Amino acid sequence: ETGVTQSPTHLIKTRGQQVTLRCSSQSGHNTVSWYQQALGQGPQFIFQYYREEENGRGNFPPRFSGLQFPNYSSELNVNALELDDSALYLCASSQVLTNYGYTFGSGTRLTVV
Amino acid sequence: GQQLNQSPQSMFIQEGEDVSMNCTSSSIFNTWLWYKQDPGEGPVLLIALYKAGELTSNGRLTAQFGITRKDSFLNISASIPSDVGIYFCAEHNAGNMLTFGGGTRLMVKP
């Protein structure tokens, strides 16, 4: 059974650019959630995808968008990057309607300069 | 929105000591979750609590769901170096999202 894999592990972007982060869910999981973790803080929910549609969203602007593919993998896209977008982006996969069965990836460290 | 306050923010203890950390909420919770995050990794679930007053153990870890449903604590007994990391409390709500506290950073001196 494979866990959640994220790519890339690190990247550096310039303010105003766009970025795409990728996540492969754990085998058997059909739901993917994305979280942003700023340095020294707890993760904050961005959104969740189930059946290739957004299934809940946190307090993030529309320039944060996502996709889920038929194989349950997912992408997080961020447009018009700002310096405050610098953070660790975590992907978590789960079965739908789970109470606690989220498996997190190791994250993508994004630095915006 | 709801807030989760964790304390202490950081702890520096001697190996072998017991550790206690807690989490309080501004609203009533139906679920309390405790996660640990190692450097360079994502959070890993340690303990899940579902009922007020529930006390659950996982090895050297013990957690309790407060009677008021607005607080929870996590205890670690006989700490070892691999206990180093950041411990987060979290709630899973009906919006299919996890809300995390700010974390307690634990450092263990051998």
Side-chain angles (χ1 to χ4, degrees), chain A residues 33 35 37 40-43 45 48 55-56 88 90 98-100 102 104-106, chain B residues 31 33 35 37 40-43 45 48 50 88 92 95-98 100-102 105:
Chain A
S33 305
Y35 289 79
Q37 186 176 20
Q41 297 183 21
F45 177 74
Q48 183 184 84
N55 184 41
L88 179 68
L90 294 164
T98 185
N99 271 344
Y100 61 90
Y102 293 88
F104 282 85
S106 298
Chain B
T31 308
L33 307 171
Y35 284 85
Q37 186 174 27
E41 300 293 333
L45 182 67
Y50 299 105
F88 291 101
H92 179 268
N96 297 317
M97 59 184 269
L98 295 172
F100 286 85
R105 181 180 297 274

PDB file of all heavy atoms in Angstrom, chain A residues 33 35 37 40-43 45 48 55-56 88 90 98-100 102 104-106, chain B residues 31 33 35 37 40-43 45 48 50 88 92 95-98 100-102 105:
ATOM      1  N   SER A  33      -7.580  16.414   0.170  1.00  0.00           N
ATOM      2  CA  SER A  33      -7.673  17.740   0.788  1.00  0.00           C
ATOM      3  C   SER A  33      -6.316  18.410   0.722  1.00  0.00           C
ATOM      4  O   SER A  33      -5.281  17.736   0.792  1.00  0.00           O
ATOM      5  CB  SER A  33      -8.103  17.624   2.259  1.00  0.00           C
ATOM      6  OG  SER A  33      -9.306  16.909   2.395  1.00  0.00           O
ATOM      7  N   TYR A  35      -3.865  21.574   2.368  1.00  0.00           N
ATOM      8  CA  TYR A  35      -3.663  22.451   3.515  1.00  0.00           C
ATOM      9  C   TYR A  35      -2.425  23.311   3.282  1.00  0.00           C
ATOM     10  O   TYR A  35      -1.453  22.869   2.673  1.00  0.00           O
ATOM     11  CB  TYR A  35      -3.455  21.636   4.799  1.00  0.00           C
ATOM     12  CG  TYR A  35      -4.715  20.946   5.287  1.00  0.00           C
ATOM     13  CD1 TYR A  35      -5.154  19.774   4.712  1.00  0.00           C
ATOM     14  CD2 TYR A  35      -5.466  21.517   6.312  1.00  0.00           C
ATOM     15  CE1 TYR A  35      -6.328  19.157   5.147  1.00  0.00           C
ATOM     16  CE2 TYR A  35      -6.638  20.914   6.757  1.00  0.00           C
ATOM     17  CZ  TYR A  35      -7.050  19.743   6.163  1.00  0.00           C
ATOM     18  OH  TYR A  35      -8.216  19.146   6.600  1.00  0.00           O
ATOM     19  N   GLN A  37       0.505  25.347   5.389  1.00  0.00           N
ATOM     20  CA  GLN A  37       1.104  25.470   6.705  1.00  0.00           C
ATOM     21  C   GLN A  37       2.213  26.511   6.669  1.00  0.00           C
ATOM     22  O   GLN A  37       3.303  26.258   6.150  1.00  0.00           O
ATOM     23  CB  GLN A  37       1.651  24.133   7.192  1.00  0.00           C
ATOM     24  CG  GLN A  37       2.155  24.175   8.626  1.00  0.00           C
ATOM     25  CD  GLN A  37       2.602  22.827   9.144  1.00  0.00           C
ATOM     26  OE1 GLN A  37       2.901  21.906   8.391  1.00  0.00           O
ATOM     27  NE2 GLN A  37       2.635  22.675  10.467  1.00  0.00           N
ATOM     28  N   GLY A  40       5.815  27.866  11.608  1.00  0.00           N
ATOM     29  CA  GLY A  40       5.459  28.058  13.009  1.00  0.00           C
ATOM     30  C   GLY A  40       3.975  27.994  13.313  1.00  0.00           C
ATOM     31  O   GLY A  40       3.566  28.303  14.442  1.00  0.00           O
ATOM     32  N   GLN A  41       3.175  27.603  12.341  1.00  0.00           N
ATOM     33  CA  GLN A  41       1.724  27.539  12.559  1.00  0.00           C
ATOM     34  C   GLN A  41       1.183  26.154  12.220  1.00  0.00           C
ATOM     35  O   GLN A  41       1.877  25.324  11.641  1.00  0.00           O
ATOM     36  CB  GLN A  41       1.032  28.590  11.689  1.00  0.00           C
ATOM     37  CG  GLN A  41       1.416  30.023  12.029  1.00  0.00           C
ATOM     38  CD  GLN A  41       0.646  31.018  11.197  1.00  0.00           C
ATOM     39  OE1 GLN A  41      -0.413  30.721  10.647  1.00  0.00           O
ATOM     40  NE2 GLN A  41       1.163  32.231  11.103  1.00  0.00           N
ATOM     41  N   GLY A  42      -0.081  25.927  12.590  1.00  0.00           N
ATOM     42  CA  GLY A  42      -0.737  24.686  12.220  1.00  0.00           C
ATOM     43  C   GLY A  42      -1.256  24.759  10.797  1.00  0.00           C
ATOM     44  O   GLY A  42      -1.416  25.844  10.233  1.00  0.00           O
ATOM     45  N   PRO A  43      -1.485  23.613  10.184  1.00  0.00           N
ATOM     46  CA  PRO A  43      -2.023  23.607   8.818  1.00  0.00           C
ATOM     47  C   PRO A  43      -3.400  24.264   8.755  1.00  0.00           C
ATOM     48  O   PRO A  43      -4.200  24.128   9.681  1.00  0.00           O
ATOM     49  CB  PRO A  43      -2.111  22.113   8.479  1.00  0.00           C
ATOM     50  CG  PRO A  43      -1.146  21.445   9.410  1.00  0.00           C
ATOM     51  CD  PRO A  43      -1.199  22.247  10.670  1.00  0.00           C
ATOM     52  N   PHE A  45      -6.873  24.599   6.272  1.00  0.00           N
ATOM     53  CA  PHE A  45      -7.605  23.947   5.193  1.00  0.00           C
ATOM     54  C   PHE A  45      -7.806  24.892   4.023  1.00  0.00           C
ATOM     55  O   PHE A  45      -8.306  26.005   4.197  1.00  0.00           O
ATOM     56  CB  PHE A  45      -8.946  23.482   5.742  1.00  0.00           C
ATOM     57  CG  PHE A  45      -9.876  22.851   4.744  1.00  0.00           C
ATOM     58  CD1 PHE A  45      -9.630  21.570   4.265  1.00  0.00           C
ATOM     59  CD2 PHE A  45     -11.012  23.518   4.315  1.00  0.00           C
ATOM     60  CE1 PHE A  45     -10.498  20.972   3.362  1.00  0.00           C
ATOM     61  CE2 PHE A  45     -11.886  22.926   3.426  1.00  0.00           C
ATOM     62  CZ  PHE A  45     -11.631  21.656   2.950  1.00  0.00           C
ATOM     63  N   GLN A  48     -11.162  20.686  -0.446  1.00  0.00           N
ATOM     64  CA  GLN A  48     -11.203  19.240  -0.581  1.00  0.00           C
ATOM     65  C   GLN A  48     -11.851  18.878  -1.911  1.00  0.00           C
ATOM     66  O   GLN A  48     -12.769  19.577  -2.359  1.00  0.00           O
ATOM     67  CB  GLN A  48     -12.019  18.617   0.557  1.00  0.00           C
ATOM     68  CG  GLN A  48     -12.062  17.096   0.540  1.00  0.00           C
ATOM     69  CD  GLN A  48     -12.957  16.534   1.635  1.00  0.00           C
ATOM     70  OE1 GLN A  48     -14.164  16.426   1.488  1.00  0.00           O
ATOM     71  NE2 GLN A  48     -12.341  16.188   2.747  1.00  0.00           N
ATOM     72  N   ASN A  55     -15.365  19.949  -2.748  1.00  0.00           N
ATOM     73  CA  ASN A  55     -16.304  19.450  -1.742  1.00  0.00           C
ATOM     74  C   ASN A  55     -16.054  20.135  -0.405  1.00  0.00           C
ATOM     75  O   ASN A  55     -15.956  19.500   0.623  1.00  0.00           O
ATOM     76  CB  ASN A  55     -16.136  17.928  -1.606  1.00  0.00           C
ATOM     77  CG  ASN A  55     -17.132  17.313  -0.670  1.00  0.00           C
ATOM     78  OD1 ASN A  55     -18.304  17.659  -0.666  1.00  0.00           O
ATOM     79  ND2 ASN A  55     -16.679  16.392   0.172  1.00  0.00           N
ATOM     80  N   GLY A  56     -15.906  21.429  -0.424  1.00  0.00           N
ATOM     81  CA  GLY A  56     -15.610  22.185   0.782  1.00  0.00           C
ATOM     82  C   GLY A  56     -14.411  23.067   0.544  1.00  0.00           C
ATOM     83  O   GLY A  56     -13.451  22.653  -0.120  1.00  0.00           O
ATOM     84  N   LEU A  88       4.475  25.582   3.548  1.00  0.00           N
ATOM     85  CA  LEU A  88       4.474  24.156   3.238  1.00  0.00           C
ATOM     86  C   LEU A  88       3.043  23.794   2.834  1.00  0.00           C
ATOM     87  O   LEU A  88       2.101  24.079   3.578  1.00  0.00           O
ATOM     88  CB  LEU A  88       4.905  23.343   4.461  1.00  0.00           C
ATOM     89  CG  LEU A  88       4.945  21.824   4.305  1.00  0.00           C
ATOM     90  CD1 LEU A  88       6.060  21.405   3.345  1.00  0.00           C
ATOM     91  CD2 LEU A  88       5.145  21.142   5.667  1.00  0.00           C
ATOM     92  N   LEU A  90       0.443  20.921   2.142  1.00  0.00           N
ATOM     93  CA  LEU A  90       0.230  19.516   2.470  1.00  0.00           C
ATOM     94  C   LEU A  90      -1.008  18.986   1.767  1.00  0.00           C
ATOM     95  O   LEU A  90      -2.042  19.657   1.699  1.00  0.00           O
ATOM     96  CB  LEU A  90       0.044  19.360   3.983  1.00  0.00           C
ATOM     97  CG  LEU A  90       1.246  19.687   4.856  1.00  0.00           C
ATOM     98  CD1 LEU A  90       0.827  19.880   6.304  1.00  0.00           C
ATOM     99  CD2 LEU A  90       2.282  18.574   4.766  1.00  0.00           C
ATOM    100  N   THR A  98     -14.988  10.181   6.103  1.00  0.00           N
ATOM    101  CA  THR A  98     -14.195   9.682   7.211  1.00  0.00           C
ATOM    102  C   THR A  98     -14.223  10.666   8.377  1.00  0.00           C
ATOM    103  O   THR A  98     -14.391  11.865   8.193  1.00  0.00           O
ATOM    104  CB  THR A  98     -12.739   9.469   6.787  1.00  0.00           C
ATOM    105  OG1 THR A  98     -12.011   8.866   7.844  1.00  0.00           O
ATOM    106  CG2 THR A  98     -12.085  10.795   6.444  1.00  0.00           C
ATOM    107  N   ASN A  99     -14.051  10.152   9.583  1.00  0.00           N
ATOM    108  CA  ASN A  99     -13.936  11.021  10.751  1.00  0.00           C
ATOM    109  C   ASN A  99     -12.492  11.374  11.052  1.00  0.00           C
ATOM    110  O   ASN A  99     -12.211  12.394  11.647  1.00  0.00           O
ATOM    111  CB  ASN A  99     -14.543  10.335  11.977  1.00  0.00           C
ATOM    112  CG  ASN A  99     -16.020  10.638  12.115  1.00  0.00           C
ATOM    113  OD1 ASN A  99     -16.530  11.558  11.500  1.00  0.00           O
ATOM    114  ND2 ASN A  99     -16.691   9.857  12.915  1.00  0.00           N
ATOM    115  N   TYR A 100     -11.573  10.524  10.682  1.00  0.00           N
ATOM    116  CA  TYR A 100     -10.197  10.795  11.079  1.00  0.00           C
ATOM    117  C   TYR A 100      -9.171  10.159  10.164  1.00  0.00           C
ATOM    118  O   TYR A 100      -7.993  10.351  10.355  1.00  0.00           O
ATOM    119  CB  TYR A 100      -9.954  10.269  12.497  1.00  0.00           C
ATOM    120  CG  TYR A 100     -10.155   8.777  12.632  1.00  0.00           C
ATOM    121  CD1 TYR A 100      -9.120   7.899  12.427  1.00  0.00           C
ATOM    122  CD2 TYR A 100     -11.402   8.248  12.964  1.00  0.00           C
ATOM    123  CE1 TYR A 100      -9.314   6.531  12.541  1.00  0.00           C
ATOM    124  CE2 TYR A 100     -11.599   6.892  13.076  1.00  0.00           C
ATOM    125  CZ  TYR A 100     -10.554   6.047  12.872  1.00  0.00           C
ATOM    126  OH  TYR A 100     -10.749   4.700  12.978  1.00  0.00           O
ATOM    127  N   TYR A 102      -7.307  10.524   7.681  1.00  0.00           N
ATOM    128  CA  TYR A 102      -6.565  11.307   6.706  1.00  0.00           C
ATOM    129  C   TYR A 102      -5.096  10.894   6.736  1.00  0.00           C
ATOM    130  O   TYR A 102      -4.475  10.833   7.789  1.00  0.00           O
ATOM    131  CB  TYR A 102      -6.649  12.805   7.026  1.00  0.00           C
ATOM    132  CG  TYR A 102      -8.032  13.395   6.872  1.00  0.00           C
ATOM    133  CD1 TYR A 102      -8.927  13.370   7.930  1.00  0.00           C
ATOM    134  CD2 TYR A 102      -8.429  13.972   5.673  1.00  0.00           C
ATOM    135  CE1 TYR A 102     -10.197  13.909   7.789  1.00  0.00           C
ATOM    136  CE2 TYR A 102      -9.698  14.512   5.532  1.00  0.00           C
ATOM    137  CZ  TYR A 102     -10.571  14.479   6.600  1.00  0.00           C
ATOM    138  OH  TYR A 102     -11.828  15.020   6.460  1.00  0.00           O
ATOM    139  N   PHE A 104      -1.494  12.143   5.395  1.00  0.00           N
ATOM    140  CA  PHE A 104      -0.827  13.326   4.848  1.00  0.00           C
ATOM    141  C   PHE A 104       0.434  12.940   4.087  1.00  0.00           C
ATOM    142  O   PHE A 104       1.142  11.995   4.467  1.00  0.00           O
ATOM    143  CB  PHE A 104      -0.434  14.290   5.972  1.00  0.00           C
ATOM    144  CG  PHE A 104      -1.579  15.106   6.500  1.00  0.00           C
ATOM    145  CD1 PHE A 104      -2.414  14.590   7.482  1.00  0.00           C
ATOM    146  CD2 PHE A 104      -1.818  16.383   6.018  1.00  0.00           C
ATOM    147  CE1 PHE A 104      -3.476  15.348   7.975  1.00  0.00           C
ATOM    148  CE2 PHE A 104      -2.871  17.147   6.512  1.00  0.00           C
ATOM    149  CZ  PHE A 104      -3.712  16.624   7.483  1.00  0.00           C
ATOM    150  N   GLY A 105       0.703  13.704   3.024  1.00  0.00           N
ATOM    151  CA  GLY A 105       1.992  13.618   2.359  1.00  0.00           C
ATOM    152  C   GLY A 105       3.023  14.444   3.110  1.00  0.00           C
ATOM    153  O   GLY A 105       2.710  15.097   4.113  1.00  0.00           O
ATOM    154  N   SER A 106       4.252  14.417   2.600  1.00  0.00           N
ATOM    155  CA  SER A 106       5.338  15.159   3.255  1.00  0.00           C
ATOM    156  C   SER A 106       5.351  16.634   2.885  1.00  0.00           C
ATOM    157  O   SER A 106       6.095  17.407   3.469  1.00  0.00           O
ATOM    158  CB  SER A 106       6.686  14.530   2.907  1.00  0.00           C
ATOM    159  OG  SER A 106       6.730  13.203   3.384  1.00  0.00           O
TER     160      SER A 106
ATOM    161  N   THR B  31     -15.326  15.983  17.995  1.00  0.00           N
ATOM    162  CA  THR B  31     -14.167  15.114  17.782  1.00  0.00           C
ATOM    163  C   THR B  31     -12.922  15.870  18.193  1.00  0.00           C
ATOM    164  O   THR B  31     -12.794  17.054  17.871  1.00  0.00           O
ATOM    165  CB  THR B  31     -14.012  14.753  16.290  1.00  0.00           C
ATOM    166  OG1 THR B  31     -15.246  14.245  15.795  1.00  0.00           O
ATOM    167  CG2 THR B  31     -12.914  13.737  16.077  1.00  0.00           C
ATOM    168  N   LEU B  33      -8.752  15.345  17.799  1.00  0.00           N
ATOM    169  CA  LEU B  33      -7.691  14.547  17.199  1.00  0.00           C
ATOM    170  C   LEU B  33      -6.353  15.106  17.650  1.00  0.00           C
ATOM    171  O   LEU B  33      -6.190  16.323  17.775  1.00  0.00           O
ATOM    172  CB  LEU B  33      -7.782  14.600  15.674  1.00  0.00           C
ATOM    173  CG  LEU B  33      -9.140  14.241  15.054  1.00  0.00           C
ATOM    174  CD1 LEU B  33      -9.139  14.546  13.568  1.00  0.00           C
ATOM    175  CD2 LEU B  33      -9.463  12.782  15.310  1.00  0.00           C
ATOM    176  N   TYR B  35      -2.297  14.982  16.549  1.00  0.00           N
ATOM    177  CA  TYR B  35      -1.340  14.643  15.510  1.00  0.00           C
ATOM    178  C   TYR B  35       0.066  14.993  15.969  1.00  0.00           C
ATOM    179  O   TYR B  35       0.272  15.892  16.773  1.00  0.00           O
ATOM    180  CB  TYR B  35      -1.615  15.446  14.230  1.00  0.00           C
ATOM    181  CG  TYR B  35      -2.786  14.992  13.407  1.00  0.00           C
ATOM    182  CD1 TYR B  35      -4.075  15.422  13.697  1.00  0.00           C
ATOM    183  CD2 TYR B  35      -2.601  14.140  12.320  1.00  0.00           C
ATOM    184  CE1 TYR B  35      -5.151  15.006  12.932  1.00  0.00           C
ATOM    185  CE2 TYR B  35      -3.676  13.727  11.545  1.00  0.00           C
ATOM    186  CZ  TYR B  35      -4.940  14.170  11.851  1.00  0.00           C
ATOM    187  OH  TYR B  35      -6.005  13.763  11.088  1.00  0.00           O
ATOM    188  N   GLN B  37       3.868  15.941  14.103  1.00  0.00           N
ATOM    189  CA  GLN B  37       4.558  16.255  12.859  1.00  0.00           C
ATOM    190  C   GLN B  37       6.060  16.261  13.103  1.00  0.00           C
ATOM    191  O   GLN B  37       6.563  17.067  13.898  1.00  0.00           O
ATOM    192  CB  GLN B  37       4.102  17.604  12.299  1.00  0.00           C
ATOM    193  CG  GLN B  37       4.678  17.935  10.930  1.00  0.00           C
ATOM    194  CD  GLN B  37       4.095  19.211  10.353  1.00  0.00           C
ATOM    195  OE1 GLN B  37       3.663  20.109  11.079  1.00  0.00           O
ATOM    196  NE2 GLN B  37       4.048  19.304   9.034  1.00  0.00           N
ATOM    197  N   GLY B  40      10.070  17.972   8.272  1.00  0.00           N
ATOM    198  CA  GLY B  40      10.073  17.547   6.879  1.00  0.00           C
ATOM    199  C   GLY B  40       8.995  16.543   6.520  1.00  0.00           C
ATOM    200  O   GLY B  40       9.027  15.975   5.416  1.00  0.00           O
ATOM    201  N   GLU B  41       8.053  16.317   7.434  1.00  0.00           N
ATOM    202  CA  GLU B  41       7.000  15.350   7.180  1.00  0.00           C
ATOM    203  C   GLU B  41       5.632  15.977   7.392  1.00  0.00           C
ATOM    204  O   GLU B  41       5.504  17.066   7.961  1.00  0.00           O
ATOM    205  CB  GLU B  41       7.143  14.147   8.115  1.00  0.00           C
ATOM    206  CG  GLU B  41       8.449  13.392   7.975  1.00  0.00           C
ATOM    207  CD  GLU B  41       8.579  12.690   6.639  1.00  0.00           C
ATOM    208  OE1 GLU B  41       7.528  12.339   6.049  1.00  0.00           O
ATOM    209  OE2 GLU B  41       9.727  12.516   6.172  1.00  0.00           O
ATOM    210  N   GLY B  42       4.597  15.271   6.942  1.00  0.00           N
ATOM    211  CA  GLY B  42       3.236  15.706   7.229  1.00  0.00           C
ATOM    212  C   GLY B  42       2.792  15.184   8.587  1.00  0.00           C
ATOM    213  O   GLY B  42       3.430  14.303   9.169  1.00  0.00           O
ATOM    214  N   PRO B  43       1.692  15.709   9.126  1.00  0.00           N
ATOM    215  CA  PRO B  43       1.173  15.242  10.414  1.00  0.00           C
ATOM    216  C   PRO B  43       0.728  13.783  10.347  1.00  0.00           C
ATOM    217  O   PRO B  43       0.214  13.333   9.326  1.00  0.00           O
ATOM    218  CB  PRO B  43      -0.022  16.161  10.665  1.00  0.00           C
ATOM    219  CG  PRO B  43       0.176  17.338   9.776  1.00  0.00           C
ATOM    220  CD  PRO B  43       0.891  16.821   8.576  1.00  0.00           C
ATOM    221  N   LEU B  45      -1.579  10.949  12.573  1.00  0.00           N
ATOM    222  CA  LEU B  45      -2.574  10.835  13.639  1.00  0.00           C
ATOM    223  C   LEU B  45      -2.057   9.949  14.767  1.00  0.00           C
ATOM    224  O   LEU B  45      -1.569   8.842  14.542  1.00  0.00           O
ATOM    225  CB  LEU B  45      -3.871  10.248  13.083  1.00  0.00           C
ATOM    226  CG  LEU B  45      -5.007  10.115  14.095  1.00  0.00           C
ATOM    227  CD1 LEU B  45      -5.498  11.485  14.548  1.00  0.00           C
ATOM    228  CD2 LEU B  45      -6.153   9.302  13.497  1.00  0.00           C
ATOM    229  N   ALA B  48      -7.513   9.587  18.369  1.00  0.00           N
ATOM    230  CA  ALA B  48      -8.787  10.201  18.021  1.00  0.00           C
ATOM    231  C   ALA B  48      -9.762  10.000  19.181  1.00  0.00           C
ATOM    232  O   ALA B  48      -9.836   8.903  19.744  1.00  0.00           O
ATOM    233  CB  ALA B  48      -9.349   9.586  16.747  1.00  0.00           C
ATOM    234  N   TYR B  50     -13.867  10.756  20.570  1.00  0.00           N
ATOM    235  CA  TYR B  50     -15.185  11.034  20.009  1.00  0.00           C
ATOM    236  C   TYR B  50     -16.257  11.375  21.031  1.00  0.00           C
ATOM    237  O   TYR B  50     -17.340  11.836  20.645  1.00  0.00           O
ATOM    238  CB  TYR B  50     -15.664   9.834  19.187  1.00  0.00           C
ATOM    239  CG  TYR B  50     -14.756   9.524  18.040  1.00  0.00           C
ATOM    240  CD1 TYR B  50     -13.889   8.436  18.097  1.00  0.00           C
ATOM    241  CD2 TYR B  50     -14.732  10.332  16.918  1.00  0.00           C
ATOM    242  CE1 TYR B  50     -13.044   8.161  17.043  1.00  0.00           C
ATOM    243  CE2 TYR B  50     -13.882  10.054  15.857  1.00  0.00           C
ATOM    244  CZ  TYR B  50     -13.044   8.975  15.930  1.00  0.00           C
ATOM    245  OH  TYR B  50     -12.207   8.704  14.890  1.00  0.00           O
ATOM    246  N   PHE B  88       0.005  18.595  17.408  1.00  0.00           N
ATOM    247  CA  PHE B  88      -1.153  19.429  17.080  1.00  0.00           C
ATOM    248  C   PHE B  88      -2.439  18.773  17.568  1.00  0.00           C
ATOM    249  O   PHE B  88      -2.626  17.565  17.395  1.00  0.00           O
ATOM    250  CB  PHE B  88      -1.297  19.612  15.562  1.00  0.00           C
ATOM    251  CG  PHE B  88      -0.228  20.435  14.927  1.00  0.00           C
ATOM    252  CD1 PHE B  88       0.818  19.834  14.245  1.00  0.00           C
ATOM    253  CD2 PHE B  88      -0.276  21.819  14.984  1.00  0.00           C
ATOM    254  CE1 PHE B  88       1.810  20.597  13.635  1.00  0.00           C
ATOM    255  CE2 PHE B  88       0.704  22.591  14.381  1.00  0.00           C
ATOM    256  CZ  PHE B  88       1.750  21.969  13.716  1.00  0.00           C
ATOM    257  N   HIS B  92     -12.277  17.623  13.498  1.00  0.00           N
ATOM    258  CA  HIS B  92     -12.850  17.324  12.192  1.00  0.00           C
ATOM    259  C   HIS B  92     -14.304  17.750  12.231  1.00  0.00           C
ATOM    260  O   HIS B  92     -15.082  17.234  13.030  1.00  0.00           O
ATOM    261  CB  HIS B  92     -12.757  15.826  11.898  1.00  0.00           C
ATOM    262  CG  HIS B  92     -13.345  15.442  10.582  1.00  0.00           C
ATOM    263  ND1 HIS B  92     -14.649  15.045  10.437  1.00  0.00           N
ATOM    264  CD2 HIS B  92     -12.806  15.427   9.351  1.00  0.00           C
ATOM    265  CE1 HIS B  92     -14.887  14.782   9.165  1.00  0.00           C
ATOM    266  NE2 HIS B  92     -13.792  15.008   8.480  1.00  0.00           N
ATOM    267  N   GLY B  95     -17.848  20.203   7.801  1.00  0.00           N
ATOM    268  CA  GLY B  95     -17.432  20.730   6.506  1.00  0.00           C
ATOM    269  C   GLY B  95     -16.301  19.950   5.879  1.00  0.00           C
ATOM    270  O   GLY B  95     -15.656  20.424   4.954  1.00  0.00           O
ATOM    271  N   ASN B  96     -16.072  18.741   6.374  1.00  0.00           N
ATOM    272  CA  ASN B  96     -15.033  17.872   5.831  1.00  0.00           C
ATOM    273  C   ASN B  96     -13.643  18.465   5.940  1.00  0.00           C
ATOM    274  O   ASN B  96     -12.776  18.186   5.115  1.00  0.00           O
ATOM    275  CB  ASN B  96     -15.299  17.518   4.356  1.00  0.00           C
ATOM    276  CG  ASN B  96     -16.577  16.745   4.197  1.00  0.00           C
ATOM    277  OD1 ASN B  96     -16.855  15.849   4.978  1.00  0.00           O
ATOM    278  ND2 ASN B  96     -17.358  17.109   3.208  1.00  0.00           N
ATOM    279  N   MET B  97     -13.433  19.317   6.923  1.00  0.00           N
ATOM    280  CA  MET B  97     -12.127  19.910   7.076  1.00  0.00           C
ATOM    281  C   MET B  97     -11.600  19.674   8.481  1.00  0.00           C
ATOM    282  O   MET B  97     -12.366  19.508   9.436  1.00  0.00           O
ATOM    283  CB  MET B  97     -12.185  21.411   6.796  1.00  0.00           C
ATOM    284  CG  MET B  97     -13.142  22.165   7.697  1.00  0.00           C
ATOM    285  SD  MET B  97     -13.254  23.907   7.258  1.00  0.00           S
ATOM    286  CE  MET B  97     -11.976  24.577   8.296  1.00  0.00           C
ATOM    287  N   LEU B  98     -10.283  19.643   8.578  1.00  0.00           N
ATOM    288  CA  LEU B  98      -9.611  19.602   9.868  1.00  0.00           C
ATOM    289  C   LEU B  98      -9.209  21.017  10.241  1.00  0.00           C
ATOM    290  O   LEU B  98      -8.647  21.743   9.428  1.00  0.00           O
ATOM    291  CB  LEU B  98      -8.365  18.725   9.799  1.00  0.00           C
ATOM    292  CG  LEU B  98      -8.567  17.227   9.531  1.00  0.00           C
ATOM    293  CD1 LEU B  98      -7.223  16.550   9.309  1.00  0.00           C
ATOM    294  CD2 LEU B  98      -9.302  16.580  10.691  1.00  0.00           C
ATOM    295  N   PHE B 100      -6.757  22.901  12.834  1.00  0.00           N
ATOM    296  CA  PHE B 100      -5.616  22.608  13.692  1.00  0.00           C
ATOM    297  C   PHE B 100      -5.338  23.751  14.665  1.00  0.00           C
ATOM    298  O   PHE B 100      -5.564  24.927  14.361  1.00  0.00           O
ATOM    299  CB  PHE B 100      -4.354  22.406  12.838  1.00  0.00           C
ATOM    300  CG  PHE B 100      -4.305  21.102  12.087  1.00  0.00           C
ATOM    301  CD1 PHE B 100      -4.914  20.984  10.844  1.00  0.00           C
ATOM    302  CD2 PHE B 100      -3.623  20.008  12.603  1.00  0.00           C
ATOM    303  CE1 PHE B 100      -4.864  19.785  10.146  1.00  0.00           C
ATOM    304  CE2 PHE B 100      -3.569  18.815  11.911  1.00  0.00           C
ATOM    305  CZ  PHE B 100      -4.182  18.701  10.677  1.00  0.00           C
ATOM    306  N   GLY B 101      -4.798  23.374  15.819  1.00  0.00           N
ATOM    307  CA  GLY B 101      -4.257  24.365  16.728  1.00  0.00           C
ATOM    308  C   GLY B 101      -2.883  24.810  16.253  1.00  0.00           C
ATOM    309  O   GLY B 101      -2.387  24.348  15.225  1.00  0.00           O
ATOM    310  N   GLY B 102      -2.260  25.707  17.015  1.00  0.00           N
ATOM    311  CA  GLY B 102      -0.975  26.260  16.622  1.00  0.00           C
ATOM    312  C   GLY B 102       0.207  25.345  16.896  1.00  0.00           C
ATOM    313  O   GLY B 102       1.314  25.588  16.428  1.00  0.00           O
ATOM    314  N   ARG B 105       5.641  22.551  20.376  1.00  0.00           N
ATOM    315  CA  ARG B 105       6.929  22.020  19.939  1.00  0.00           C
ATOM    316  C   ARG B 105       7.623  21.371  21.134  1.00  0.00           C
ATOM    317  O   ARG B 105       7.880  22.033  22.147  1.00  0.00           O
ATOM    318  CB  ARG B 105       7.806  23.131  19.357  1.00  0.00           C
ATOM    319  CG  ARG B 105       9.159  22.648  18.852  1.00  0.00           C
ATOM    320  CD  ARG B 105       9.977  23.806  18.294  1.00  0.00           C
ATOM    321  NE  ARG B 105       9.334  24.409  17.138  1.00  0.00           N
ATOM    322  CZ  ARG B 105       9.466  23.984  15.886  1.00  0.00           C
ATOM    323  NH1 ARG B 105      10.258  22.949  15.629  1.00  0.00           N
ATOM    324  NH2 ARG B 105       8.851  24.585  14.902  1.00  0.00           N
TER     325      ARG B 105
END
